[in-house]
Amino acid sequence: MSDLNRRALMKTAVAGTAVATGLTALAPPAAAARPRTGTFRWFGTSGWRIDVNGRTVLVDPYLSRYPTGLFTGAFDPGTPLRVDADAIGPRIGKPETVLVTHTHWDHFNDVPHIAKTVAGVRVLGTLTAYHLALASGVPAAQAVPVKGGEVLDFGDYTVEVVAALHSRNPAYSLAFPGVRVTQPPAPRTIADLPEGDTLAYQVSIAGGPKVFFMGGSDFVERNLTGLAPDVAMVALPSGGIVHDYTARLLKALEHPRVVVPVHWDDFERPLQNPPVAPAADAAKLDAFVAEIRRVSPRARVLRPEYETPYSF
């Protein structure tokens, strides 16, 4: 049998098999779908803007960044709340979802303004966040109370809500403890925005990475089981109170391939690069980065800059 006849017989056999199995004979492989990674921009503190497939999600967007005396030793709990609309508007795009980890002013301050000025934005947060949003004039249809355990499907991305804990200060306590189980009067000062319980979130992009977001530097270890994010935005530990914070956290998260320290900048300065850590926290940040690298030597540690687009 000539080589030409042999090739013809082989081609016929393959075609027959394809017909029998419902496949296309010798069809070229389909081009692999291009993965969607999303774009992530840091707004300082634990704030982020996420853009995926033309849709925008915000996490703890605090852009007004006004002085309270927190970093100068003259902290004033009576500091009036204020909103810098000029700082917010150009940066947030047209968000459809806002994720609130807790309701201290450096996380929640700008959320009601965003919800009232961008049509249809939904705000996810604790029951305290829900009641404070209503008290601030946010329509009830836009405020979504969650408590941890929810896995919400938005098509291009899913959001898993994780019950978490707030940072502890050297006195083993925290600033402005308390919750709001009913709608209070409209908040006027930063002390009117209590911690209100704390959440974390995992945003999973369809065809892209799973990204974990913290708003405070404590966690419920068992609640992290099975999350296994690709990227983790982890808060700088506060006060050295949480036992073995970095090792326990990264082990519980199954050692993400990218770790991004957050909530280390002076959030009473303008949002300008390079970010500046308060003098008291600069050494802590260096030590935290070193500890991350020791505990997860294979991880990439990214110290973010403001509003810089990152893809993972």
Side-chain angles (χ1 to χ4, degrees):
M1 182 183 297
S2 70
D3 287 344
L4 183 61
N5 288 338
R6 187 177 294 109
R7 292 192 196 100
L9 285 173
M10 289 175 65
K11 185 173 182 180
T12 301
V14 170
T17 302
V19 170
T21 59
L23 301 176
T24 301
L26 301 179
R34 186 176 181 180
R36 286 181 284 179
T37 63
T39 301
F40 299 78
R41 293 175 174 86
W42 187 43
F43 281 162
T45 322
S46 60
W48 289 87
R49 171 176 167 169
I50 308 164
D51 291 285
V52 54
N53 202 27
R55 304 169 71 183
T56 299
V57 180
L58 304 178
V59 182
D60 284 358
Y62 177 57
L63 294 159
S64 293
R65 298 172 71 93
Y66 51 81
T68 68
L70 181 63
F71 300 116
T72 63
F75 181 55
D76 179 8
T79 301
L81 298 172
R82 67 186 78 169
V83 168
D84 185 346
D86 291 337
I88 298 168
R91 292 183 164 98
I92 62 171
K94 295 183 178 179
E96 63 178 29
T97 304
V98 180
L99 308 177
V100 178
T101 65
H102 64 285
T103 50
H104 279 153
W105 83 97
D106 54 321
H107 301 258
F108 185 76
N109 184 96
D110 294 345
V111 171
H113 171 81
I114 292 169
K116 289 185 291 184
T117 55
V118 181
V121 173
R122 65 180 74 86
V123 176
L124 276 65
T126 62
L127 188 61
T128 297
Y130 171 81
H131 285 129
L132 286 170
L134 297 186
S136 303
V138 176
Q142 292 176 242
V144 182
V146 289
K147 60 178 61 177
E150 298 91 345
V151 182
L152 306 175
D153 190 346
F154 296 101
D156 292 299
Y157 60 94
T158 60
V159 174
E160 183 164 355
V161 187
V162 182
L165 299 170
H166 192 270
S167 319
R168 295 278 161 174
N169 60 32
Y172 294 86
S173 188
L174 65 156
F176 309 148
V179 297
R180 298 290 181 264
V181 296
T182 58
Q183 182 176 329
R188 299 186 181 281
T189 71
I190 62 172
D192 293 332
L193 296 180
E195 177 258 348
D197 293 328
T198 296
L199 302 169
Y201 295 93
Q202 180 146 295
V203 178
S204 299
I205 295 175
K210 298 183 295 182
V211 185
F212 178 73
F213 296 89
M214 294 179 78
S217 59
D218 202 355
F219 55 95
V220 182
E221 204 161 351
R222 292 169 182 82
N223 290 353
L224 305 184
T225 301
L227 291 177
D230 301 294
V231 183
M233 316 305 193
V234 297
L236 177 75
S238 174
I241 300 304
V242 178
H243 171 68
D244 205 14
Y245 171 80
T246 308
R248 288 175 50 240
L249 174 61
L250 296 181
K251 180 179 179 181
L253 292 174
E254 299 183 35
H255 299 282
R257 60 180 173 82
V258 181
V259 180
V260 184
V262 296
H263 214 330
W264 52 263
D265 63 317
D266 183 341
F267 52 79
E268 299 190 353
R269 291 173 176 257
L271 200 69
Q272 297 173 351
N273 285 318
V276 175
D281 288 337
K284 291 181 184 177
L285 176 59
D286 290 341
F288 185 40
V289 169
E291 181 68 359
I292 293 169
R293 288 179 171 143
R294 185 190 70 80
V295 170
S296 290
R298 296 184 180 180
R300 173 191 173 200
V301 182
L302 170 65
R303 190 181 301 195
E305 292 203 328
Y306 298 138
E307 301 185 272
T308 300
Y310 298 103
S311 294
F312 302 105

